[in-house]
Amino acid sequence: MDNESFKITSNNYMSQKRLAVKLNAKGEHSVVKGHPWVFSNSIVKINDDATTGDVAIIFSKNKNKVIALGLYDADSPIRIKIIHHAQYKAEINSEFFRNKIELAKTKRTELLKTNTNSYRLIFGENDGFPGLIADVYANVLVVKLYSEIWLPYLDTILQSLQKISKAKTIILRLSRGLQNSKDHNLIDGQVVFGELQDEVVEFVEHSVKFSANVIKGHKTGYFLDHRANRKRVGEFSKDKTVLDVFSYAGGFSVHALANGAKEVTSLDISKQALDLAIENGKLNDYSGTHNTIAGDAFVEMKKMIQENKVFHVVVIDPPSFAKQQSDIELAKKKYAQLADLGAKLTAKKGLLVLASCSSRVTAQSFFDLNQRVLNEQTRLFETVLKTQHDSDHPIAFPEGAYLKCGYYRFLE
């Protein structure tokens, strides 16, 4: 596909400067170990005229040997984002990016053998593209940028993404910071390749049909990381009553309905999200009842407890409660509250599914917290399963592992 087919023009990356960088001992050790972030306070030597998007060549302190290549970000405390750890020599060019995208695609091979045409093709740092996400929904590719480091390289990356994904349309989404930046003329939600007939795109996830608003939806339009968990909950739900808390567009709800759930209740604070959940349900054949409740999850769950309601399957998948380090303790209190409320709403021999997407709350901490709260209940339970991200969200460094999900069955 020639460059003229793309409706954007980024700077020629060949004009970006090469920066010689040296780090302090702690920073160098982190990079050598494979970590993708270099913080500003780790840099002891760098060119005075460094600008965002320049290629940072990181040398070892003693032997003057190249240990990594990164992209310089003048506006972030993570001053250099690593794109190549120097196990072998590399030149930053179109072939370099194409090879990285092809490698990422091969990691998704097994998933794409299933009846699924939605997947994360590029998972930021974990696939060597810090600050860049690429999600495929059927024939539409949504690329979300979180950093301006990619602006000089965008044309060549988009070309490779299109060829490898075979997408007929590419949408560009921008983080809030990039939307407010005056250093480019890109627009959030713009179609940069092909045509888009409708901003709501239908796709298939393990034989269940869904839709995503790729222009206005949260993130890239949908949350793909829970795919395997949604399938699993669906398999648990035949002939059952199901409560899906923080349901958003009804991921767990719709899998439950499509797998023969008797009655599903989707609970979310957003009426708009619940409308989308209803529409997603209607894309599939189901005979059960789909109820919705618009309101604060904590308040509505307490109401249900007072009304003595219980469900065979309760799924609680809240948004991130710990956006920053100072939020961690409050986040843990909220997770504990949800585990307690969820336990009280789970029927005898029922299944409680508790999830967290807060990267600052570790998996061990989250699972220990759930165990403690459930041990305090008067009923016995067993831990059935603990899971993390689906296979299209590979983890390459500790902070990349944010999703965790525990399955707990009550025995009485």
Side-chain angles (χ1 to χ4, degrees):
M1 195 64 59
D2 63 32
N3 197 44
E4 293 177 0
S5 302
F6 288 83
K7 304 179 182 74
I8 65 167
T9 304
S10 59
N11 301 329
N12 183 352
Y13 64 83
M14 297 302 288
S15 66
Q16 296 303 123
K17 295 189 296 297
R18 269 48 176 171
L19 311 173
V21 179
K22 287 200 174 184
L23 308 177
N24 61 24
K26 184 180 177 183
E28 182 176 324
H29 178 75
S30 177
V31 170
V32 169
K33 288 286 187 182
H35 203 281
W37 297 339
V38 174
F39 290 90
S40 55
N41 59 8
S42 294
I43 299 171
V44 295
K45 184 178 179 184
I46 193 170
N47 307 45
D48 293 333
D49 58 348
T51 57
T52 295
D54 288 346
V55 176
I57 304 169
I58 301 175
F59 292 89
S60 62
K61 203 170 180 181
N62 298 326
K63 298 181 181 176
N64 239 20
K65 173 184 166 188
V66 175
I67 58 173
L69 303 177
L71 298 180
Y72 184 82
D73 191 340
D75 300 316
S76 171
I78 304 173
R79 198 54 52 86
I80 297 170
K81 275 101 169 166
I82 303 299
I83 59 173
H84 176 70
H85 288 89
Q87 300 94 338
Y88 57 89
K89 289 185 178 180
E91 182 67 32
I92 308 302
N93 53 26
S94 57
E95 183 182 9
F96 171 82
F97 291 121
R98 186 177 66 250
N99 288 341
K100 289 178 85 66
I101 296 166
E102 285 176 345
L103 176 61
K105 181 72 181 292
T106 62
K107 293 177 184 177
R108 281 77 177 165
T109 301
E110 289 305 309
L111 172 64
L112 295 177
K113 288 178 182 176
T114 68
N115 186 14
T116 298
N117 65 2
S118 56
Y119 63 100
R120 176 151 290 183
L121 175 54
I122 299 295
F123 183 30
E125 287 88 341
N126 300 281
D127 285 308
F129 287 86
L132 187 152
I133 298 292
D135 287 346
V136 176
Y137 300 102
N139 294 318
V140 177
L141 174 72
V142 184
V143 177
K144 182 150 188 179
L145 298 182
Y146 290 88
S147 172
E148 293 185 14
I149 61 173
W150 295 111
L151 298 182
Y153 312 91
L154 200 50
D155 277 352
T156 190
I157 289 171
L158 289 177
Q159 289 180 63
S160 290
L161 283 169
Q162 189 278 322
K163 286 176 182 172
I164 291 165
S165 69
K166 299 182 171 57
K168 293 180 180 176
T169 305
I170 300 180
I171 310 295
L172 190 64
R173 300 293 304 271
L174 306 175
S175 67
R176 189 169 285 115
L178 273 168
Q179 289 178 46
N180 296 331
S181 171
K182 294 181 171 61
D183 295 332
H184 62 83
N185 58 3
L186 302 173
I187 300 168
D188 181 51
Q190 83 183 85
V191 179
V192 295
F193 176 81
E195 305 293 334
L196 189 68
Q197 302 302 320
D198 189 333
E199 63 186 38
V200 177
V201 175
E202 291 187 17
F203 59 93
V204 178
E205 174 181 289
H206 291 309
S207 303
V208 179
K209 295 176 185 175
F210 283 93
S211 65
N213 189 316
V214 295
I215 302 295
K216 298 174 188 160
H218 195 48
K219 304 287 186 180
T220 65
Y222 194 66
F223 297 94
L224 299 170
D225 49 6
H226 259 310
R227 183 191 302 101
N229 288 318
R230 289 191 286 264
K231 179 177 184 287
R232 198 171 283 116
V233 165
E235 291 165 351
F236 277 122
S237 298
K238 185 171 175 57
D239 299 323
K240 303 286 200 310
T241 56
V242 179
L243 174 63
D244 181 6
V245 185
F246 302 100
S247 59
Y248 185 54
F252 288 100
S253 299
V254 175
H255 268 276
L257 287 165
N259 281 273
K262 184 167 58 179
E263 182 180 351
V264 173
T265 301
S266 298
L267 167 57
D268 199 275
I269 200 163
S270 167
K271 175 71 166 59
Q272 188 179 13
L274 291 170
D275 290 342
L276 186 53
I278 291 289
E279 292 306 309
N280 278 333
K282 289 177 180 176
L283 295 173
N284 302 275
D285 293 327
Y286 68 88
S287 58
T289 306
H290 192 182
N291 305 315
T292 61
I293 300 173
D296 178 275
F298 293 88
V299 172
E300 297 300 331
M301 290 171 79
K302 285 173 185 173
K303 278 186 196 173
M304 285 187 265
I305 291 167
Q306 287 169 357
E307 294 165 3
N308 295 316
K309 288 187 177 176
V310 290
F311 301 83
H312 298 118
V313 179
V314 176
V315 181
I316 304 177
D317 178 31
S320 176
F321 288 142
K323 298 286 188 185
Q324 50 198 19
Q325 200 72 16
S326 58
D327 295 335
I328 291 176
E329 289 312 310
L330 179 58
K332 287 181 179 178
K333 286 179 183 175
K334 288 183 177 180
Y335 287 129
Q337 277 183 277
L338 290 173
D340 181 59
L341 293 169
K344 290 176 169 61
L345 286 167
T346 305
K348 182 179 178 181
K349 297 186 179 176
L351 184 73
L352 174 61
V353 181
L354 300 171
S356 163
C357 64
S358 299
S359 61
R360 289 179 174 84
V361 177
T362 66
Q364 188 63 53
S365 176
F366 180 67
F367 293 134
D368 286 350
L369 181 154
N370 291 341
Q371 192 84 16
R372 175 179 58 77
V373 172
L374 297 182
N375 278 335
E376 291 169 356
Q377 305 295 315
T378 56
R379 306 154 66 201
L380 293 174
F381 75 96
E382 63 177 349
T383 302
V384 178
L385 191 65
K386 296 175 182 177
T387 68
Q388 292 187 301
H389 313 71
D390 204 354
S391 58
D392 57 342
H393 289 66
I395 303 305
F397 71 117
E399 292 87 345
Y402 63 89
L403 186 70
K404 44 268 177 194
C405 190
Y407 293 69
Y408 308 94
R409 187 181 298 284
F410 285 87
L411 304 178
E412 54 181 83

